[in-house]
Amino acid sequence: MPETTFRRLAEVFSLLEKTSSSLAMIDILSEFFKKISPKEAKISAYLISGEISPSYANLELGLAKKLVAKAIGKATNKTQTEVEKLLHKKGDLGIVVEDLLETQKGRKYSIEEVFEELKKIAKLSGEGSQEEKINLLANLIKNVSPLEAKYIVRLVLGILRLGVGEMTFLYSISKALTGTKEKKKILEYAFNVLSDLGEVTFQALEKGIENLKNAKPVAGIPIRMMLAQRIKDLKEIKEHINGKISVEYKYDGERIQAHVKKDKEIILFSRNHENITSQFPDVIGGIKGTFKGKETIIEGEVVALDLKTEKLLDFQTLMTRRRKYNVKEYIKKVPIRYFLFDILYLDGKPLLQENLLKRKKFLEEAFVENELVKFAKYIISESEEETEEFFLEAIKNGAEGIMIKDANSIYQAGIRGWNWIKYKKDYHQEITDTFDLVVIGANYGSGKRAGTFGSLLVAAFDQNKNKFYSFTKVGAGFTDDDLKNLPKILNPFKIPQKYKMVETGMEADVWFEPKIVMEVAGADITISPVHTVAKDKIKKGGLALRFPRFIRWREDKKSEDATTVEEIYQMYKK
Ligand code: ATP
């Protein structure tokens, strides 16, 4: 197979950029993936997502605009100020560089060559590295065509934004290799186990899709986490689970997937697969002192607690532990416990296909409780009364509610299904449901809110359609501090127009790339002419949340983890 040029990939980017239809994206991508080598496909998978590595590997681009403007200047004989003036006019350094290069022919770089250069740029650190980054980038710009330069610049800035969702991507690989989208399920399974679109693409092309049915967990590579559905009344459990149930405390902390590797290294991953090892040295110490095996992948919730009273504290308190600096000081200030509830892999044995009761047994045999590491409290409940009683006890002891799990179910990586159900205090008291929604736009504030935003337009996610649908506008529930910080949090994601994967009938003063997730409470769900959640099902309009109120930021969630359109539709029907 001849080498594929980066120019070819840039043409694919250009086609993708012009469409917001997932079907069109699948066609464009499947044509492309038919004709390239497994290695090139792996690299392309990362680049199409605007990355240069799987998200858990923490190797990121995202250069500052200033640096990139300097590099463009250097490559095109302009000053940085001249380039910045053009940026002001055009709003996008990608377009600026494309215009400046005019008809530059460039030499033909292969995909691999450009990728290696980008990696070099990302890896440079320390003294003098900025200058070197600028030189490498300028050299690249000087030697490619205008279209390639446009996308290289957007890649290094971390603003490629093609809008290709993970599922859209997997459909396209299925189509490229088999002519139909039907094998996406196998690819999705492998992706849930390996969390790496590049690796899954590589293996699919190299060994065939069918082989991915046997994808196995690897210590050190995060598994996409199994998620829960919710109920409002314990009576609903019977509709979803037939046999035995395990009822567990739902701790109000942060989920951590801990990996112990053969070489004894321990890595902690957040729900988003962020490597958070350095933030929890106490958890590392705790695991070291209690694990009896060689290699494992476990899951649990880390929770803050008051050492004097042994009372569990809330999520907000724990979040103060999410820091790069003064970690040692905060270990003392905010002590924690790590409550284990699952094990997914142990000493060479994948446990995903074992049922929950068996997994609990493996967990309890492989670990002994110590000061820091405990088992999550659970019972095998025989009746609704027993479940209710356990729920009340859980709440009294500082838990957020309970998790109800089908005791016979396997661990379904990356799936939000009915084998795990959450039941929270909020639902019990019938205050409201809360939603995790993505900020897609905002209106400027006035009066007391001058200089910040007055309200935020937020959306739910539809995984199949790969689109964000507006659900409500949130202006209440913010403290003065929250309000003051809004521009700082949101402005980095500002874009000139409504993001192409966003559907809404609302107008906004500012639009954002859908990246930031917040938890929102509300009174009830109604039909609205301007919001778009489940619009295709409701017909008269879309669903909207009335009297929304900001609860908290969900830094632990990506926009794809937001409450889904389907979840909201089910709640509305109830
Ligand atoms: P939430 O917003 O309610 O935290 P979520 O969307 O993060 O939910 P869900 O799968 O809906 O995730 O709810 C389960 C979450 O509850 C887990 O991700 C985990 O962080 C937390 N949790 C606390 N205790 C348990 C437990 N015993 N078993 C499973 N998850 C638990």
Side-chain angles (χ1 to χ4, degrees), residues 228 248-249 255 301 405 416 422 424 554 557:
E248 313 180 3
Y249 275 27
R255 186 161 177 179
E301 189 89 349
K405 299 179 181 174
R416 189 186 289 284
K422 57 182 165 179
K424 291 203 225 177
R554 290 295 307 248
K557 288 200 172 182

Side-chain angles (χ1 to χ4, degrees), residues 156-173:
V156 296
L157 284 166
I159 56 160
L160 188 64
R161 296 177 189 144
L162 297 174
V164 179
E166 286 158 350
M167 297 307 127
T168 306
F169 184 85
L170 294 177
Y171 275 125
S172 74
I173 298 299

Side-chain angles (χ1 to χ4, degrees), residues 243-510:
K244 275 192 192 157
I245 52 173
S246 161
V247 183
E248 313 180 3
Y249 275 27
K250 184 179 195 304
Y251 296 95
D252 189 13
E254 180 173 15
R255 186 161 177 179
I256 291 186
Q257 195 178 81
H259 290 236
V260 183
K261 288 172 47 178
K262 249 201 206 115
D263 60 8
K264 300 208 168 65
E265 187 192 3
I266 299 178
I267 307 175
L268 307 180
F269 290 110
S270 75
R271 193 176 176 298
N272 269 346
H273 294 169
E274 205 185 321
N275 187 326
I276 49 171
T277 313
S278 62
Q279 287 162 30
F280 295 104
D282 36 356
V283 172
I284 304 283
I287 294 174
K288 269 193 190 143
T290 168
F291 179 47
K292 297 188 224 158
K294 288 192 180 68
E295 233 192 334
T296 191
I297 303 174
I298 47 173
E299 274 189 6
E301 189 89 349
V302 56
V303 194
L305 93 167
D306 183 329
L307 278 188
K308 274 197 210 108
T309 58
E310 285 279 317
K311 246 192 138 27
L312 300 174
L313 303 174
D314 62 8
F315 177 80
Q316 261 75 16
T317 314
L318 178 75
M319 277 297 125
T320 59
R321 285 289 306 265
R322 278 288 214 128
R323 53 179 52 249
K324 281 203 184 108
Y325 309 104
N326 304 338
V327 172
K328 269 199 187 132
E329 181 191 330
Y330 271 79
I331 291 181
K332 287 212 189 86
K333 253 193 190 163
V334 185
I336 51 179
R337 293 274 180 276
Y338 184 37
F339 291 100
L340 303 182
F341 54 75
D342 220 319
I343 183 162
L344 315 181
Y345 172 81
L346 179 64
D347 293 339
K349 226 174 142 142
L351 301 177
L352 299 177
Q353 305 297 329
E354 302 288 351
N355 73 40
L356 177 63
L357 283 187
K358 270 209 181 140
R359 298 203 305 277
K360 290 259 186 213
K361 236 176 125 192
F362 276 112
L363 183 67
E364 285 154 18
E365 278 167 11
F367 286 82
V368 272
E369 289 193 328
N370 61 15
E371 229 350 66
L372 207 126
V373 180
K374 306 271 178 203
F375 296 122
K377 269 203 141 185
Y378 75 101
I379 56 166
I380 303 299
S381 167
E382 306 278 344
S383 69
E384 204 180 298
E385 292 73 35
E386 211 179 331
T387 305
E388 168 116 35
E389 205 174 303
F390 191 73
F391 167 75
L392 293 172
E393 178 203 307
I395 298 286
K396 206 177 83 204
N397 290 333
E400 193 191 9
I402 48 175
M403 297 291 297
I404 301 142
K405 299 179 181 174
D406 184 339
N408 289 312
S409 66
I410 61 169
Y411 187 95
Q412 293 174 292
I415 306 259
R416 189 186 289 284
W418 287 103
N419 289 330
W420 283 18
I421 298 172
K422 57 182 165 179
Y423 180 67
K424 291 203 225 177
K425 189 165 64 182
D426 300 356
Y427 315 154
H428 189 71
Q429 296 171 341
E430 287 184 331
I431 304 171
T432 44
D433 273 309
T434 69
F435 305 84
D436 296 320
L437 302 170
V438 193
V439 186
I440 54 171
N443 286 328
Y444 290 121
S446 56
K448 235 183 90 184
R449 296 191 179 185
T452 179
F453 298 116
S455 62
L456 306 182
L457 183 61
V458 293
F461 183 56
D462 185 321
Q463 209 181 35
N464 290 324
K465 299 209 179 90
N466 185 33
K467 287 219 162 95
F468 296 89
Y469 293 88
S470 78
F471 185 41
T472 194
K473 228 165 87 176
V474 191
F478 297 106
T479 63
D480 288 349
D481 264 358
D482 288 335
L483 284 171
K484 210 174 74 200
N485 285 329
L486 285 178
K488 206 168 79 199
I489 296 172
L490 293 167
N491 279 345
F493 303 100
K494 222 159 139 180
I495 47 179
Q497 299 115 14
K498 183 171 79 181
Y499 190 63
K500 67 173 175 167
M501 306 317 270
V502 160
E503 296 276 333
T504 181
M506 292 287 284
E507 283 306 323
D509 295 337
V510 193

Side-chain angles (χ1 to χ4, degrees), residues 536-555:
D536 49 339
K537 288 188 177 127
I538 306 281
K539 304 280 185 327
K540 283 181 286 181
L543 296 177
L545 182 67
R546 288 212 313 157
F547 304 119
R549 192 158 47 78
F550 171 80
I551 304 286
R552 62 185 181 188
W553 298 108
R554 290 295 307 248
E555 290 102 341

Side-chain angles (χ1 to χ4, degrees), residues 53-68:
S53 69
S55 54
Y56 66 83
N58 282 359
L59 182 61
E60 279 174 17
L61 285 160
L63 260 55
K65 273 188 198 154
K66 261 204 160 82
L67 269 181
V68 178

Side-chain angles (χ1 to χ4, degrees), residues 509-572:
D509 295 337
V510 193
W511 295 103
F512 301 113
E513 186 185 358
K515 282 279 186 209
I516 298 289
V517 180
M518 65 191 221
E519 187 173 344
V520 179
D524 59 274
I525 300 173
T526 53
I527 295 177
S528 137
V530 284
H531 289 296
T532 49
V533 166
K535 201 172 167 192
D536 49 339
K537 288 188 177 127
I538 306 281
K539 304 280 185 327
K540 283 181 286 181
L543 296 177
L545 182 67
R546 288 212 313 157
F547 304 119
R549 192 158 47 78
F550 171 80
I551 304 286
R552 62 185 181 188
W553 298 108
R554 290 295 307 248
E555 290 102 341
D556 58 331
K557 288 200 172 182
K558 287 200 281 195
S559 48
E560 289 85 4
D561 301 322
T563 303
T564 63
V565 165
E566 184 58 27
E567 281 176 273
I568 295 175
Y569 180 62
Q570 292 304 334
M571 277 150 93
Y572 171 73

